[in-house]
Amino acid sequence: MPTPILFIPGFMQPASAWSVVAEQLDPPTTLLDHREHSFEGRLAEIAAAGEGALLVGYSLGGRLALRAALRDPARYAGLVTVGATAGIEDAPTRTARAEADDRLASWIEAAPIEDVVAIWERQPLFADQSEALIEAQRAGRLSQNPVELAYLLRTAGQGVLEPVWHELLRFELPVLAIAGARDEGYTSAAQKIAETAPNARAAIVADAGHAAHMQQPDEVASLIAAFRSRLDR
């Protein structure tokens, strides 16, 4: 049987955001539908659902998958990240990000979800996404609870999480770091992950930005399938 795959969604995404990719891969595959909305709560969900699995996470989900694998590498078969990083190394930059995220969280928990989504989907990180793709994601984003989103941002945002680049130096689990070619910051992060972890490689997806798994699902599915086949040998 092929290695099981556990798909982990990004911030403000339902599990179904991974559906188009997962449908192209042989079972067993599981789309993790989170019920917890804190860093530790989501790591516990990953541990419970992902034993023996290849973890595949996007953005926030990639950060969580990476830290879950670092915490208990023997529990998992491998790791794939899409548009993710191992953290902000510069301490002042990380502090500034944490403060900005806390302000954003305060606004999110007091705002209607319609306003939160309207602002979120128009941020520069998603500027290269088509109107059709933005609209396709809207229902999933509107299903979120603003209070839960705010708590997740305060506990699992990039500013509050310590960087883990140094831990990657001794991380032996197979890793595939994927990024969209138009997503320059995360392309650099993917390449750095590949250069840092002993058993890691990067894959840059053409004609894609931050959400490569949604912009080029066929290519991302193919990359995951090839990576999984190596685990199965």
Side-chain angles (χ1 to χ4, degrees):
M1 183 177 72
T3 299
I5 300 178
L6 180 68
F7 288 98
I8 305 162
F11 186 72
M12 216 180 295
Q13 281 193 338
S16 59
W18 274 111
S19 294
V20 177
V21 171
E23 288 166 359
Q24 299 184 55
L25 298 166
D26 292 333
T29 61
T30 300
L31 307 182
L32 182 56
D33 192 6
H34 287 294
R35 294 290 182 262
E36 297 292 331
H37 304 287
S38 68
F39 174 73
E40 288 297 337
R42 291 203 169 186
L43 284 198
E45 289 180 323
I46 292 169
E51 185 168 6
L54 169 61
L55 301 182
V56 180
Y58 161 67
S59 197
L60 168 68
R63 294 203 299 276
L64 295 173
L66 173 58
R67 284 163 174 81
L70 285 167
R71 180 175 290 186
D72 190 2
R75 190 174 189 85
Y76 309 106
L79 171 68
V80 177
T81 62
V82 178
T85 176
I88 301 172
E89 293 185 281
D90 180 70
T93 302
R94 193 166 63 253
T95 297
R97 177 61 180 267
E99 292 171 351
D101 282 351
D102 187 61
R103 291 192 296 271
L104 178 58
S106 295
W107 175 77
I108 287 175
E109 65 189 351
I113 189 61
E114 293 81 5
D115 292 351
V116 174
V117 171
I119 295 296
W120 185 261
E121 67 186 13
R122 297 301 172 181
Q123 62 179 302
L125 191 63
F126 305 138
D128 72 319
Q129 294 186 9
S130 68
E131 287 299 317
L133 180 56
I134 291 171
E135 291 176 9
Q137 297 175 79
R138 189 167 295 137
R141 288 168 171 162
L142 288 171
S143 71
Q144 305 296 315
N145 181 310
V147 173
E148 294 171 346
L149 290 173
Y151 189 53
L152 181 60
L153 188 58
R154 288 193 174 107
T155 62
Q158 292 208 61
V160 299
L161 295 181
E162 291 292 321
V164 292
W165 293 103
H166 62 291
E167 295 185 47
L168 287 178
L169 292 167
R170 302 179 301 277
F171 186 58
E172 297 291 343
L173 209 64
V175 179
L176 174 62
I178 299 173
R182 295 195 294 264
D183 193 13
E184 294 182 4
Y186 286 96
T187 294
S188 297
Q191 292 168 336
K192 186 175 180 180
I193 289 171
E195 293 165 1
T196 304
N199 197 13
R201 59 180 289 266
I204 308 305
V205 179
D207 298 320
H210 188 57
H213 66 307
M214 303 190 80
Q215 293 171 299
Q216 298 294 338
D218 295 354
E219 175 64 17
V220 171
S222 178
L223 288 168
I224 295 170
F227 183 73
R228 181 201 221 179
S229 69
R230 287 193 289 273
L231 300 180
D232 295 336
R233 290 174 186 166

